[in-house]
Amino acid sequence: SDFFEALFGSMGGAPGGQRAHRTWTQTPRRGQDIEHEVEITLEEAYRGAVRVLSIDGKRLEASIPPGVRTGSRVRLRGQGGAGSAGAASGDLFLRIAVQEHPRFERRGNDLHTEVPVDLYTALLGGTVSVGGLGGELRLSIPALTQNGRSFRLRGRGMPALRNPEQHGDLYARVRVVLPQSLTDRERGLVEQLADLQAAPAGAE
């Protein structure tokens, strides 16, 4: 008995006949990152936006900066999955999707749009209104402007994501709109113009 007591006491026991206790500690582990898609309009991408989100039961208010585009990711630090054993939480990444716009096409930070111009303004020149994302603009149309001609309005495009004070350009493409109908007098004047165009140079 002394032999077995000495043998097993040294292997599994502790001094004084008490069993030793081993303490297990959990390794700290950072929380998981989470990705969430957010859809915004082109106007919101131009001026920035705020979205109220509910992620895993948490209510979050997220600020989306100006200049984002489809595929941009906005990082919210510490708003992802919870960490374990006192470790930091993960991050929440908002993946941006910008909706298509009925009037503007975005190419990088430049915007392209079509501007209807009546026949008389295209022939004689004048000014037309262009609705930009930053407000109404006035565009000067020189006389004899051809259909499809583009005009560049510097600094009227989208803001740069990391430098919102810097903007791309707005390109306005002219679409000459013919009148829907003509009065007899208007038709007579157009016919006179056609005759003048058809007459040989120097003829009266």
Side-chain angles (χ1 to χ4, degrees):
S1 60
D2 292 339
F3 172 76
F4 286 106
E5 183 180 350
L7 177 62
F8 291 107
S10 63
M11 294 179 62
Q18 296 180 353
R19 183 178 298 274
H21 294 280
R22 182 176 295 177
T23 302
W24 297 91
T25 58
Q26 186 178 6
T27 302
R29 189 181 299 273
R30 182 181 178 274
Q32 186 178 6
D33 291 337
I34 298 175
E35 191 168 278
H36 182 78
E37 183 172 286
V38 175
E39 190 174 65
I40 64 173
T41 64
L42 186 62
E43 287 84 356
E44 289 175 320
Y46 180 85
R47 61 178 179 266
V50 174
R51 281 288 189 276
V52 177
L53 308 172
S54 179
I55 307 293
D56 291 338
K58 294 188 299 184
R59 186 178 182 274
L60 304 174
E61 188 173 278
S63 295
I64 300 172
V68 293
R69 64 187 67 190
T70 295
S72 294
R73 295 206 309 170
V74 177
R75 182 181 186 180
L76 302 180
R77 294 181 181 273
Q79 299 299 330
S84 62
S89 297
D91 298 330
L92 171 63
F93 291 90
L94 303 182
R95 188 175 69 255
I96 304 300
V98 181
Q99 299 172 357
E100 292 187 3
H101 198 276
R103 291 192 298 113
F104 295 101
E105 179 187 354
R106 182 179 183 177
R107 302 177 191 171
N109 288 332
D110 294 334
L111 293 173
H112 295 255
T113 189
E114 194 173 66
V115 181
V117 176
D118 66 76
L119 175 64
Y120 310 110
T121 301
L123 289 172
L124 303 175
T127 59
V128 295
S129 176
V130 180
L133 292 179
E136 290 292 320
L137 305 170
R138 300 297 293 176
L139 176 63
S140 295
I141 302 294
L144 301 178
T145 292
Q146 299 296 312
N147 184 55
R149 179 177 175 180
S150 287
F151 293 89
R152 179 183 183 184
L153 288 81
R154 293 181 181 271
R156 299 296 185 173
M158 296 294 294
L161 178 57
R162 304 195 183 279
N163 185 10
E165 299 301 319
Q166 179 182 346
H167 286 67
D169 300 325
L170 171 62
Y171 291 85
R173 184 172 180 269
V174 169
R175 176 171 60 85
V176 177
V177 180
L178 299 178
Q180 296 287 335
S181 61
L182 294 173
T183 65
D184 291 340
R185 185 166 181 267
E186 287 172 334
R187 179 178 294 277
L189 291 173
V190 172
E191 289 173 349
Q192 292 179 34
L193 179 62
D195 291 340
L196 289 174
Q197 290 289 321
E204 297 183 359

